[in-house]
Each structure stands twice: as structure tokens, then as C-alpha cells.
Amino acid sequence: MSLLLAFDDERALAERLAQAAGLPLAFVARHRFPDGETRLRLPPALPAHTVLLRGLQQPNEKLTELMLAAAGARELGAQRLTLVSPYLAYMRQDMAFAPGEVVSQRHVGRALAAWFDAVITVDPHLHRVATMDEVVPGRCGIALSAAPLLGAWIAEHAPGALLLGPDEEALQWVRAAAQAHGMAYAVCSKLRHADRKVEVTLPEGLELRGRAVVLLDDVASTGRTLVEAAHGAHARGAASVDVAVTHALFVGDALAELHAAGVRRVWSTDSVPHESNVVSIAGMVAGALASPGSPRA
Ligand code: R5P
């Protein structure tokens, strides 16, 4: 028998995943002391295989929680620990862009590999590293993609739309979403000057006059990448611009800025709890937990 352990602030996805995977669900109780320390309380006896659901949006505090939860779970009986982290933070810092810069991806990955036997995630931002095996060396790492699920949603709610990736790295997601549903697609090129300053250039000759455009990306953080892509699509005469992302971080004024840039609708998966969630990853994650050779088998 396995158990799904989750945190209260991810209750909706936890309940969907427990139901889809046929797992009993229990919650980790958290207390934050006035000095910022965290106390966790887990069920006092855990089954040999325990699955922990914890997305790493706002990652720094959650990494501490993961370290404590994993160590505590092993003391309470879990022999095999699977982490389901729909949004895996720190994946974009995958090289030293300046001398002395710490390659966070490598070290966060190694920490997860030390704490967990298996890690399942969705659309991790793997650029210079090709597989999850490289992120969590020696462990079972599974990267799922929500692109086909978002593609199905877009095909139904914006029929005939062109899918536009705001940068070259989005090609993998845009292509997967578009090909599964027979949609046209293209990707832009992007230059990032600062956290909130990006330049997005649409492909030369891409004709958008009168077309519905859906911008598709793995993650929206400040939203500036999508804002610039939206401006570009409107400048080419797009009839409408909608946005679909796997991970809806949308920090600060991101949503307001998107709407100010003329974005009509914003859609996301429930990998990160957000008002834009319309597509659930629960069934897909449950499938990964149940498939032969999976961390649960
Ligand atoms: C990076 O290339 C990602 O795919 C996203 O495009 C990026 O992280 C979005 O960041 P922001 O919303 O802050 O522009």
C-alpha cells in the first residue's frame, strides 16, 4: 500500500491526484515559528512507499520543507520515497553565466537525489541538460509534458489558432501541442536584458493578420516574455492573443501587465495553484505513478 502526502496549500491538486491514482491522502501539518523556522508533523506511521506532492514555486522555504519531510518520512517507515514536484524550480540556472556563479540546477538536483528515490515533474526547463537522469543522478527521474493537454484545451477553446512560442526554447512545447491537434505553430527569438526587460522578435515573414494567436510557454514568472510576444503579435495584426502556460507563477503585476498588453484569456494547468488553472495534470501524473517501471511499481 502507498500513501500520498501533501501540503494544505496544494489541496486541490492533491485531491485530484489521490483520486486519479487511487491513493489514500494525508496532509503534512506545518507550523512556522516567529523566527522563521518550520516544524512539520507527518502521519506517525508511513507505508513502505510514500509519495510526497510538493511543487517548488517560491522554492527557498519549500526546499527546507522537503529536506525535513523526506528525513522525517524515512524515520516514520517510508523505505521508498517518490517526490511529485509539478513545478521544479532552479532548472533555468543550468550554467555559470558569469565567473563564480553557482550552477543552482546541479546542486538542487543533487539535493533532491539525496532525499528522494524518484522525482516526477512536469515540463522542467531543461535546456543545456537533456534528461531528468542528469538532474537527479542515480535516481528515477521522470519529466512529463503538459503540452498535449494544453493543446487539447486550445484546440477546443481557440479553434484555428496559431500557437506561438515566445522563444526558441518553447519549440518543444509548441510543437508537441500543435502537432497533437493539427495546429499551425511558430516560435520567436528572445533576448533577456534583465529580470523584467526582455526583447522578443517574431519570425520574419510570419503573417498574423486577422488570426487568433495563442502564446504557449512552460512558465510565466514576471510575464514580461509573454507581454513582449503579445505586443509583437498585435503589431502583426493578430485578431486575438490568448496565453497558455504549464506553470502559472505570475509574480507581482504579471497578470495585469498581460491584460494591459491586450491578452484576452490566460490559461494554465493546475501544476501551480492559480486562478488561471483550467487543465489538470492529475491524470497524467497518476499514469506515471502507475506505469510499469514507474517509481510506484
Ligand atoms: C524561459 O526561457 C522560460 O521558458 C520563460 O519564457 C521565462 O522563464 C518567463 O519568464 P518571465 O515571465 O519572467 O518573462
Side-chain angles (χ1 to χ4, degrees):
M1 188 51 156
S2 304
L3 173 76
L4 176 63
L5 261 184
F7 289 74
D8 196 50
D9 56 356
E10 290 175 302
R11 180 174 286 273
L13 176 59
E15 288 175 348
R16 285 182 204 124
L17 179 57
Q19 189 174 21
L23 289 174
L25 172 63
F27 286 93
V28 178
R30 259 186 314 171
H31 175 72
R32 190 148 196 242
F33 291 103
D35 60 8
E37 290 184 3
T38 300
R39 181 187 65 207
L40 301 182
R41 202 170 69 242
L42 278 58
L46 291 172
H49 182 225
T50 297
V51 179
L52 181 67
L53 171 68
R54 197 55 171 150
L56 285 176
Q57 52 279 9
Q58 296 107 34
N60 294 350
E61 192 168 334
K62 291 192 178 129
L63 282 168
T64 308
E65 289 172 3
L66 279 191
M67 175 186 65
L68 296 173
R74 295 213 189 263
E75 287 174 349
L76 294 166
Q79 290 160 25
R80 188 160 173 75
L81 264 181
T82 297
L83 172 67
V84 174
S85 192
Y87 174 66
L88 206 50
Y90 283 114
M91 293 299 105
R92 283 167 289 180
Q93 295 177 30
D94 60 356
M95 66 173 274
F97 295 93
E101 219 170 70
V102 175
V103 184
S104 315
Q105 184 196 62
R106 187 184 306 148
H107 302 294
V108 169
R110 283 181 189 167
L112 297 179
W115 303 335
F116 296 93
D117 299 289
V119 177
I120 299 178
T121 188
V122 181
D123 291 333
H125 196 94
L126 303 183
H127 181 33
R128 277 158 281 256
V129 158
T131 65
M132 279 298 291
D133 293 336
E134 292 171 70
V135 177
V136 284
R139 299 301 196 186
C140 174
I142 297 180
L144 304 169
S145 180
L149 298 174
L150 287 171
W153 176 272
I154 294 164
E156 189 184 338
H157 293 86
L162 176 134
L163 294 193
L164 187 60
D167 55 30
E168 294 91 341
E169 291 163 16
L171 178 62
Q172 54 187 303
W173 301 296
V174 168
R175 187 167 45 201
Q179 285 181 345
H181 302 281
M183 289 180 271
Y185 66 94
V187 293
C188 309
S189 55
K190 178 169 88 178
L191 251 183
R192 184 178 287 281
H193 301 289
D195 289 346
R196 289 181 160 74
K197 197 164 185 295
V198 296
E199 222 180 298
V200 172
T201 308
L202 272 66
E204 212 172 305
L206 179 69
E207 181 51 64
L208 295 179
R209 196 151 303 280
R211 280 206 87 158
V213 171
V214 178
L215 303 174
L216 180 76
D217 207 358
D218 58 335
V219 55
S221 176
T222 67
R224 292 318 191 265
T225 298
L226 292 167
V227 163
E228 291 309 316
H231 284 316
H234 283 304
R236 295 266 176 108
S240 63
V241 178
D242 298 313
V243 157
V245 292
T246 300
H247 309 296
L249 300 184
F250 292 119
V251 299
D253 62 357
L255 263 192
E257 287 294 321
L258 275 178
H259 291 305
V263 168
R264 185 176 55 162
R265 296 171 293 186
V266 178
W267 299 312
S268 64
T269 79
D270 57 359
S271 76
V272 176
H274 188 261
E275 61 187 81
S276 60
N277 293 171
V278 290
V279 169
S280 183
I281 58 164
M284 176 175 71
V285 174
L289 282 168
S291 64
S294 79
R296 194 174 158 192

